[in-house]
Amino acid sequence: GWRRDTAQRLLVERRDTTAVEALKSIAASAANPASRLHALWTLEGMNALDDTAIAAALKDSQGKVRAAGIRLSERSFKQTSNPIAAATALSEKLISFASDSSADVQIQLALSLSSLPPNDQAKAALAGLAKGSGLVRDAAAYTLASFEPVKADAVATAARALTPDEKRRFDAGKGMYEATCLACHQVHGMGQIGLAPPLVGSEWVSGSEGRLI
């Protein structure tokens, strides 16, 4: 709610170090999962998040908190003297979450792996997730594509002339895409690593019109 959001913002802005221990306690043991999430991200914003808090989040009973733990763990390999080795070790550690029952965890895993060096184990885990459905499949397919980028001409399809009504609808849709979707999914529709999955070839786009709307 507003109070929790405002408290988080003020703590991050003020970098109030006197609140760090209390935040760590909330992140580890608060009864409300939302409180644990807010505490984790507040610690991250204050640059006070440690490996102990991340490890606890990865073992949390709630999927959204575990997903946050995966996202937050990305920072660990960037703060070492040997980021490549650390990233490889992190990838091996996170791959076990491919069998997690939470879709939130699987989606975040697929996206986080896109920021880590690709290896056979990661590709195998992503291939398994890509056989799933919905956003899990799309996120996994996106990361796999980022490992081996698809050539632009590989997604080209034969086009026919549009009727006047189709052209009107196309122009309207183009304007809506540019205003709402382009910033994340990009002009080519292939998305951005770690931010937005590709729309090209996605069932969300090529499937039922009712689902898309």
Side-chain angles (χ1 to χ4, degrees):
W2 179 86
R3 291 184 179 180
R4 184 185 291 117
D5 291 342
T6 302
Q8 180 181 23
R9 176 177 61 80
L10 292 175
L11 285 168
V12 171
E13 289 177 350
R14 296 172 181 175
R15 297 295 178 97
D16 185 359
T17 57
T18 62
V20 169
E21 291 307 315
L23 286 167
K24 288 182 178 180
S25 177
I26 293 172
S29 59
N32 187 341
S35 297
R36 300 199 295 276
L37 275 173
H38 270 267
L40 284 167
W41 286 109
T42 303
L43 287 167
E44 193 276 338
M46 297 171 66
N47 198 30
L49 189 66
D50 56 27
D51 292 341
T52 300
I54 294 175
L58 291 172
K59 297 178 181 178
D60 199 275
S61 61
Q62 293 293 319
K64 290 187 181 298
V65 180
R66 294 196 300 278
I70 292 174
R71 178 74 171 83
L72 290 166
S73 67
E74 293 177 17
R75 65 193 289 278
S76 62
F77 78 89
K78 301 174 183 178
Q79 300 176 346
T80 65
S81 58
N82 191 343
I84 295 179
T88 301
L90 177 61
S91 176
E92 293 174 354
K93 177 180 178 180
L94 295 182
I95 286 172
S96 63
F97 287 94
S99 60
D100 196 285
S101 60
S102 169
D104 291 314
V105 171
Q106 293 180 345
I107 292 169
Q108 185 57 60
L109 172 64
L111 295 175
S112 291
L113 286 176
S114 69
S115 67
L116 301 172
N119 56 51
D120 291 342
Q121 292 83 1
K123 290 180 179 179
L126 288 164
L129 293 175
K131 295 178 182 178
S133 60
L135 291 178
V136 174
R137 179 198 57 230
D138 291 349
Y142 171 66
T143 295
L144 283 171
S146 74
F147 289 164
E148 300 175 6
V150 178
K151 295 181 180 180
D153 58 1
V155 296
T157 56
R160 63 172 177 78
L162 300 178
T163 66
D165 182 60
E166 289 174 335
K167 182 64 166 60
R168 177 185 59 79
R169 293 167 57 196
F170 174 84
D171 289 340
K174 180 174 181 288
M176 292 175 64
Y177 182 87
E178 291 175 344
T180 307
C181 313
L182 186 145
C184 294
H185 292 285
Q186 300 293 288
V187 66
H188 43 60
M190 292 301 292
Q192 299 182 71
I193 295 176
L195 177 62
L199 297 179
V200 176
S202 169
E203 184 185 348
W204 287 90
V205 176
S206 59
S208 168
E209 292 182 3
R211 179 183 185 185
L212 183 60
I213 294 172

PDB file of all heavy atoms in Angstrom, residues 10 21 31 41-42 46 49 63 140 156 164 176 199 213:
ATOM      1  N   LEU A  10      11.451   6.552   0.984  1.00  0.00           N
ATOM      2  CA  LEU A  10      12.185   7.445   1.882  1.00  0.00           C
ATOM      3  C   LEU A  10      13.450   6.780   2.426  1.00  0.00           C
ATOM      4  O   LEU A  10      14.499   7.427   2.551  1.00  0.00           O
ATOM      5  CB  LEU A  10      11.279   7.879   3.029  1.00  0.00           C
ATOM      6  CG  LEU A  10      10.107   8.793   2.639  1.00  0.00           C
ATOM      7  CD1 LEU A  10       9.212   9.051   3.846  1.00  0.00           C
ATOM      8  CD2 LEU A  10      10.626  10.113   2.066  1.00  0.00           C
ATOM      9  N   GLU A  21      19.440  -3.335   9.823  1.00  0.00           N
ATOM     10  CA  GLU A  21      19.235  -4.583  10.565  1.00  0.00           C
ATOM     11  C   GLU A  21      17.762  -4.935  10.677  1.00  0.00           C
ATOM     12  O   GLU A  21      17.379  -6.109  10.579  1.00  0.00           O
ATOM     13  CB  GLU A  21      19.875  -4.479  11.948  1.00  0.00           C
ATOM     14  CG  GLU A  21      21.394  -4.435  11.926  1.00  0.00           C
ATOM     15  CD  GLU A  21      21.991  -5.596  11.153  1.00  0.00           C
ATOM     16  OE1 GLU A  21      21.533  -6.743  11.352  1.00  0.00           O
ATOM     17  OE2 GLU A  21      22.918  -5.375  10.358  1.00  0.00           O
ATOM     18  N   ALA A  31       5.844 -12.153   8.372  1.00  0.00           N
ATOM     19  CA  ALA A  31       4.776 -13.089   8.020  1.00  0.00           C
ATOM     20  C   ALA A  31       4.190 -12.796   6.645  1.00  0.00           C
ATOM     21  O   ALA A  31       3.768 -13.715   5.928  1.00  0.00           O
ATOM     22  CB  ALA A  31       3.681 -13.049   9.085  1.00  0.00           C
ATOM     23  N   TRP A  41      13.985  -5.422  -1.596  1.00  0.00           N
ATOM     24  CA  TRP A  41      14.268  -4.398  -2.600  1.00  0.00           C
ATOM     25  C   TRP A  41      14.703  -3.086  -1.967  1.00  0.00           C
ATOM     26  O   TRP A  41      15.447  -2.312  -2.584  1.00  0.00           O
ATOM     27  CB  TRP A  41      13.057  -4.204  -3.508  1.00  0.00           C
ATOM     28  CG  TRP A  41      12.901  -5.341  -4.473  1.00  0.00           C
ATOM     29  CD1 TRP A  41      11.941  -6.306  -4.471  1.00  0.00           C
ATOM     30  CD2 TRP A  41      13.766  -5.643  -5.573  1.00  0.00           C
ATOM     31  NE1 TRP A  41      12.149  -7.190  -5.496  1.00  0.00           N
ATOM     32  CE2 TRP A  41      13.255  -6.811  -6.196  1.00  0.00           C
ATOM     33  CE3 TRP A  41      14.911  -5.047  -6.095  1.00  0.00           C
ATOM     34  CZ2 TRP A  41      13.865  -7.387  -7.300  1.00  0.00           C
ATOM     35  CZ3 TRP A  41      15.519  -5.618  -7.203  1.00  0.00           C
ATOM     36  CH2 TRP A  41      14.997  -6.768  -7.800  1.00  0.00           C
ATOM     37  N   THR A  42      14.256  -2.824  -0.746  1.00  0.00           N
ATOM     38  CA  THR A  42      14.729  -1.631  -0.039  1.00  0.00           C
ATOM     39  C   THR A  42      16.208  -1.781   0.295  1.00  0.00           C
ATOM     40  O   THR A  42      16.999  -0.851   0.114  1.00  0.00           O
ATOM     41  CB  THR A  42      13.922  -1.403   1.254  1.00  0.00           C
ATOM     42  OG1 THR A  42      12.525  -1.299   0.931  1.00  0.00           O
ATOM     43  CG2 THR A  42      14.362  -0.115   1.948  1.00  0.00           C
ATOM     44  N   MET A  46      19.321   0.505  -1.063  1.00  0.00           N
ATOM     45  CA  MET A  46      20.244   1.152  -0.130  1.00  0.00           C
ATOM     46  C   MET A  46      21.663   0.612  -0.251  1.00  0.00           C
ATOM     47  O   MET A  46      22.549   1.002   0.498  1.00  0.00           O
ATOM     48  CB  MET A  46      19.737   0.953   1.302  1.00  0.00           C
ATOM     49  CG  MET A  46      18.390   1.608   1.583  1.00  0.00           C
ATOM     50  SD  MET A  46      17.710   1.121   3.198  1.00  0.00           S
ATOM     51  CE  MET A  46      18.920   1.875   4.311  1.00  0.00           C
ATOM     52  N   LEU A  49      22.204  -4.924   0.640  1.00  0.00           N
ATOM     53  CA  LEU A  49      21.791  -6.317   0.507  1.00  0.00           C
ATOM     54  C   LEU A  49      23.017  -7.223   0.558  1.00  0.00           C
ATOM     55  O   LEU A  49      24.030  -6.949  -0.086  1.00  0.00           O
ATOM     56  CB  LEU A  49      21.063  -6.516  -0.816  1.00  0.00           C
ATOM     57  CG  LEU A  49      20.379  -7.858  -1.049  1.00  0.00           C
ATOM     58  CD1 LEU A  49      19.222  -8.046  -0.085  1.00  0.00           C
ATOM     59  CD2 LEU A  49      19.883  -7.929  -2.501  1.00  0.00           C
ATOM     60  N   GLY A  63       6.689 -18.152  -4.082  1.00  0.00           N
ATOM     61  CA  GLY A  63       7.332 -18.091  -5.378  1.00  0.00           C
ATOM     62  C   GLY A  63       7.807 -16.705  -5.770  1.00  0.00           C
ATOM     63  O   GLY A  63       8.886 -16.551  -6.347  1.00  0.00           O
ATOM     64  N   ALA A 140      11.684 -18.255 -21.957  1.00  0.00           N
ATOM     65  CA  ALA A 140      12.740 -19.225 -22.239  1.00  0.00           C
ATOM     66  C   ALA A 140      13.157 -19.160 -23.708  1.00  0.00           C
ATOM     67  O   ALA A 140      14.350 -19.182 -24.031  1.00  0.00           O
ATOM     68  CB  ALA A 140      12.278 -20.633 -21.883  1.00  0.00           C
ATOM     69  N   ALA A 156      11.239 -13.274 -41.817  1.00  0.00           N
ATOM     70  CA  ALA A 156      10.467 -12.589 -42.839  1.00  0.00           C
ATOM     71  C   ALA A 156       9.439 -13.539 -43.443  1.00  0.00           C
ATOM     72  O   ALA A 156       9.672 -14.726 -43.611  1.00  0.00           O
ATOM     73  CB  ALA A 156      11.405 -12.063 -43.927  1.00  0.00           C
ATOM     74  N   PRO A 164      -8.044  -1.664 -48.282  1.00  0.00           N
ATOM     75  CA  PRO A 164      -8.157  -0.362 -47.607  1.00  0.00           C
ATOM     76  C   PRO A 164      -8.531  -0.491 -46.124  1.00  0.00           C
ATOM     77  O   PRO A 164      -7.986   0.220 -45.275  1.00  0.00           O
ATOM     78  CB  PRO A 164      -9.246   0.352 -48.404  1.00  0.00           C
ATOM     79  CG  PRO A 164      -9.114  -0.225 -49.789  1.00  0.00           C
ATOM     80  CD  PRO A 164      -8.787  -1.677 -49.560  1.00  0.00           C
ATOM     81  N   MET A 176      -0.635   2.395 -32.063  1.00  0.00           N
ATOM     82  CA  MET A 176      -0.779   1.887 -30.695  1.00  0.00           C
ATOM     83  C   MET A 176       0.498   1.191 -30.243  1.00  0.00           C
ATOM     84  O   MET A 176       0.937   1.344 -29.103  1.00  0.00           O
ATOM     85  CB  MET A 176      -1.971   0.925 -30.627  1.00  0.00           C
ATOM     86  CG  MET A 176      -3.318   1.594 -30.835  1.00  0.00           C
ATOM     87  SD  MET A 176      -4.677   0.406 -30.905  1.00  0.00           S
ATOM     88  CE  MET A 176      -4.607  -0.274 -29.256  1.00  0.00           C
ATOM     89  N   LEU A 199       8.037 -10.727 -29.382  1.00  0.00           N
ATOM     90  CA  LEU A 199       6.660 -10.908 -29.848  1.00  0.00           C
ATOM     91  C   LEU A 199       6.653 -11.714 -31.137  1.00  0.00           C
ATOM     92  O   LEU A 199       5.650 -12.342 -31.468  1.00  0.00           O
ATOM     93  CB  LEU A 199       6.007  -9.539 -30.079  1.00  0.00           C
ATOM     94  CG  LEU A 199       5.864  -8.648 -28.834  1.00  0.00           C
ATOM     95  CD1 LEU A 199       5.241  -7.319 -29.209  1.00  0.00           C
ATOM     96  CD2 LEU A 199       5.039  -9.342 -27.760  1.00  0.00           C
ATOM     97  N   ILE A 213      -6.391  -9.352 -27.018  1.00  0.00           N
ATOM     98  CA  ILE A 213      -7.144  -8.175 -26.592  1.00  0.00           C
ATOM     99  C   ILE A 213      -7.316  -8.175 -25.088  1.00  0.00           C
ATOM    100  O   ILE A 213      -7.156  -7.164 -24.435  1.00  0.00           O
ATOM    101  CB  ILE A 213      -8.520  -8.129 -27.274  1.00  0.00           C
ATOM    102  CG1 ILE A 213      -8.335  -7.920 -28.784  1.00  0.00           C
ATOM    103  CG2 ILE A 213      -9.368  -7.006 -26.688  1.00  0.00           C
ATOM    104  CD1 ILE A 213      -9.613  -8.041 -29.568  1.00  0.00           C
TER     105      ILE A 213
END
